C-alpha cells in the first residue's frame, strides 16, 4: 500500500462535502481538520475563523459533514453492559506487568506506554502483537493485529524470534500482523480508518500506534500551534477508542518522554500530549531503564488501580518477568 495513494483517497473525501472547495479543503487540512469527524464536531465560529469563510457557510459545511459521518448514537444500558461483559485481557509476556495493569492489556481501552528512548516501548508492542495471535487459553486474543508504525521501528525478524520463543510458527504469526508506515500525522489518523476497513474482513483484536505522538510533536512546533496539536491528538485518540469499542480490541500506544522541556510542560518526565492523551488513555505505564535488561514499569494515574511498580525483563525471547 502506497502512502501517497492513501492520502489522495482522503483528500477526495473532504472535497466531496458540499461547500468545501479545493482552497477551503487545503485550509482545513492545514488547521488539522483532516477528517470529516473533526469538522462535524466543530463550532461554526471556529471553523469560520480558521478557513476565513462566513459563519453561515461554515455552518453548512458542518451540517454536511455531520450527515456524511457516522456520528455515533445512543446505546441502551443493557447493550453497554453486554459490551463490557465481553472485555478481554491480553498478556504482556510478564505476569508482574499483567498484574500491575489489572490482569493484562484490556480490550475496549487505550493503554499508553511512555518512557525515554530505549526503554522498551517498541519491544513491548512487538511482544503484545505476538501474544494477541495466541489462543485465549494462553492469554491471547486469537486475533490479528494492526500496527501503525511512525518511526520505522517494526522488525519482522523480532516478531519471528518472539514467536519461536513461545512455540508459534513465525511465518503464520507474521501473516496475522498487518503493518503500515505512517508518514505524517494526517496519514497516521487516516490509517485508523484503514484499520477499520481491514477489521471488516479480519478479526483485528489489537491496534498498535508506535509512536502516538512523534509526528504530532514534529509537525506542530511552537506555542501558537499547541491548541491545534491537542485538538488533532484528541480526535485521533477518540478514533482509536472507537475502534477499540467496535472491535473489542486492545489499543496500545507509545509516547516519548520529552528529552527537552515541551512548550507546554516544563517537566521533562511528562509524556507528550499531556492531559489530552492522559485523559483518554485508561492505563498509562511509565517505563524506565534499570540494570542488565531490566526495566521498571510504573502504573500512573489509574482511576481504579493503585499506583505501583514492577520489574520486567527485555531479552532475546521478548518481554518476561
Ligand atoms: P523504545 O521503543 O522505548 O525506544 P525499544 O523497545 O526499541 O525502545 O527498546 C530497545 C531495547 O530493547 C534495546 O536497547 C535492548 O535493550 C532491547 N532489545 C531489543 N532487541 C533485543 C534482543 N533481540 N535481545 C535482547 N534485547 C533486545
Ligand atoms: Mg520505539
Amino acid at each position: 500500500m502506497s502512502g501517497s495513494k492513501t492520502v489522495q483517497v482522503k483528500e477526495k473525501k473532504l472535497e466531496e462535502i458540499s461547500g468545501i472547495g479545493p482552497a477551503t479543503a487545503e485550509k482545513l487540512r492545514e488547521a488539522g481538520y483532516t477528517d470529516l469527524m473533526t469538522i462535524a464536531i466543530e463550532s461554526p465560529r471556529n471553523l469560520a475563523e480558521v478557513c476565513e469563510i462566513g459563519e453561515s457557510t461554515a455552518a453548512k459545511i458542518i451540517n454536511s459533514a455531520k450527515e456524511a459521518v457516522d456520528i455515533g448514537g445512543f446505546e441502551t444500558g443493557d447493550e453497554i453492559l453486554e459490551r463490557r461483559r465481553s472485555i478481554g485481557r491480553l498478556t504482556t509476556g510478564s505476569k508482574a506487568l499483567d498484574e500491575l495493569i489489572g490482569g493484562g492489556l484490556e480490550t475496549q481501552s487505550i493503554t499508553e506506554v511512555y518512557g525515554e528512548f530505549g526503554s522498551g516501548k517498541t519491544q513491548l508492542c512487538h511482544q503484545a502483537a505476538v501474544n494477541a495471535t495466541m489462543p485465549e487459553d494462553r492469554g491471547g486474543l486469537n486475533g490479528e493485529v494492526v500496527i501503525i508504525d511512525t518511526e520505522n521501528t517494526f522488525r519482522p525478524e523480532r516478531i519471528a524470534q518472539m514467536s519461536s520463543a513461545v512455540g508459534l510458527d513465525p511465518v503464520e504469526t507474521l501473516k496475522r500482523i498487518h503493518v503500515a508506515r505512517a508518514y505524517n500525522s494526517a496519514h497516521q489518523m487516516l490509517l485508523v480508518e484503514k484499520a477499520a476497513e481491514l477489521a471488516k474482513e479480519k478479526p483485528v483484536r489489537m491496534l498498535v500506534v508506535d509512536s502516538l505522538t512523534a509526528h504530532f510533536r514534529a509537525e506542530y512546533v511552537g506555542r501558537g500551534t499547541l491548541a491545534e496539536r491537542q485538538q488533532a491528538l484528541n480526535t485521533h485518540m477518540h478514533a482509536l477508542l472507537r475502534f477499540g469499542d467496535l472491535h473489542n480490541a486492545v489499543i496500545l500506544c507509545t509516547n516519548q518522554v520529552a528529552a527537552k522541556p515541551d512548550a507546554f510542560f516544563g517537566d521533562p518526565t511528562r509524556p507528550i500530549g499531556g492531559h489530552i492523551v492522559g485523559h483518554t488513555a485508561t492505563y498509562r505505564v511509565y517505563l524506565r531503564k534499570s540494570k542488565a535488561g531490566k526495566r521498571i514499569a510504573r502504573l500512573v494515574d489509574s482511576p481504579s488501580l493503585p499506583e505501583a511498580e514492577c520489574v520486567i525483563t527485555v531479552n532475546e525471547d521478548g518481554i518476561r518477568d
Side-chain angles (χ1 to χ4, degrees):
M1 179 178 65
S2 123
S4 56
K5 200 171 152 199
T6 330
V7 171
Q8 268 167 17
V9 173
K10 182 70 199 178
E11 278 167 9
K12 206 174 152 215
K13 258 190 178 172
L14 269 192
E15 276 125 10
E16 267 165 19
I17 295 304
S18 75
I20 304 184
T24 312
E26 193 53 42
K27 279 178 196 162
L28 284 166
R29 256 177 236 115
E30 270 170 22
Y33 299 96
T34 49
D35 61 284
L36 294 175
M37 182 63 90
T38 13
I39 298 167
I41 59 176
E42 186 52 283
S43 73
R45 199 192 195 186
N46 284 349
L47 203 69
E49 206 181 297
V50 169
C51 301
E52 294 157 332
I53 51 177
E55 251 183 64
S56 63
T57 310
K60 273 182 204 149
I61 291 176
I62 289 165
N63 278 334
S64 313
K66 273 182 185 156
E67 280 165 24
V69 294
D70 176 14
I71 215 106
F74 293 101
E75 272 180 296
T76 55
D78 67 316
E79 283 167 348
I80 296 171
L81 185 66
E82 192 51 43
R83 187 154 57 72
R84 290 206 49 86
R85 276 205 187 111
S86 63
I87 284 177
R89 295 278 184 167
L90 168 65
T91 183
T92 60
S94 153
K95 279 206 173 67
L97 180 54
D98 288 351
E99 268 168 38
L100 187 81
I101 55 179
L105 298 163
E106 194 182 63
T107 65
Q108 303 177 32
S109 290
I110 296 179
T111 301
E112 177 202 352
V113 177
Y114 69 97
E116 65 177 37
F117 177 78
S119 56
K121 304 181 292 295
T122 297
Q123 296 302 309
L124 187 57
C125 292
H126 280 67
Q127 183 69 67
V130 169
N131 294 353
T133 70
M134 292 200 301
E136 271 132 15
D137 61 15
R138 294 194 61 193
L141 296 169
N142 192 23
E144 307 215 356
V145 178
V146 168
I147 300 182
I148 299 176
D149 179 14
T150 76
E151 298 180 308
N152 199 20
T153 51
F154 175 78
R155 293 292 175 272
E157 300 81 6
R158 193 67 178 121
I159 296 289
Q161 203 174 18
M162 290 177 176
S163 304
S164 303
V166 290
L168 294 176
D169 181 273
V171 176
E172 287 308 311
T173 308
L174 283 164
K175 280 185 184 159
R176 304 179 77 181
I177 300 175
H178 310 265
V179 186
R181 266 305 290 287
Y183 296 98
N184 56 47
S185 66
H187 187 206
Q188 180 178 330
M189 292 168 83
L190 179 62
L191 285 170
V192 181
E193 289 173 38
K194 289 279 156 197
E197 278 170 30
L198 186 70
K200 285 178 192 156
E201 294 157 27
K202 311 258 182 195
V204 178
R205 299 295 308 281
M206 179 161 85
L207 176 55
V208 175
V209 189
D210 184 17
S211 142
L212 176 73
T213 46
H215 282 315
F216 289 91
R217 185 161 191 244
E219 290 164 28
Y220 296 86
V221 185
R223 230 170 230 287
T225 61
L226 202 77
E228 283 162 26
R229 180 180 90 181
Q230 296 304 76
Q231 188 191 28
L233 254 178
N234 189 37
T235 304
H236 188 38
M237 297 286 292
H238 280 96
L240 293 172
L241 205 50
R242 188 170 156 75
F243 184 98
D245 280 353
L246 282 178
H247 303 288
N248 193 16
V250 165
I251 310 292
L252 180 60
C253 299
T254 69
N255 195 352
Q256 307 144 279
V257 165
K260 282 182 275 174
D262 192 71
F264 204 63
F265 301 104
D267 181 353
T269 65
R270 287 299 304 251
I272 292 154
H275 61 282
I276 295 290
V277 177
H279 286 175
T280 317
T282 313
Y283 299 95
R284 315 191 86 188
V285 176
Y286 178 44
L287 272 188
R288 62 184 200 273
K289 281 189 206 171
S290 182
K291 298 173 275 194
K294 303 267 187 230
R295 302 287 190 279
I296 296 157
R298 179 174 191 83
L299 182 70
V300 183
D301 296 340
S302 167
S304 54
L305 293 168
E307 183 151 324
E309 286 188 346
C310 74
V311 178
I312 61 171
T313 307
V314 184
N315 62 29
E316 263 173 53
D317 290 347
I319 305 288
R320 295 292 184 271
D321 274 322

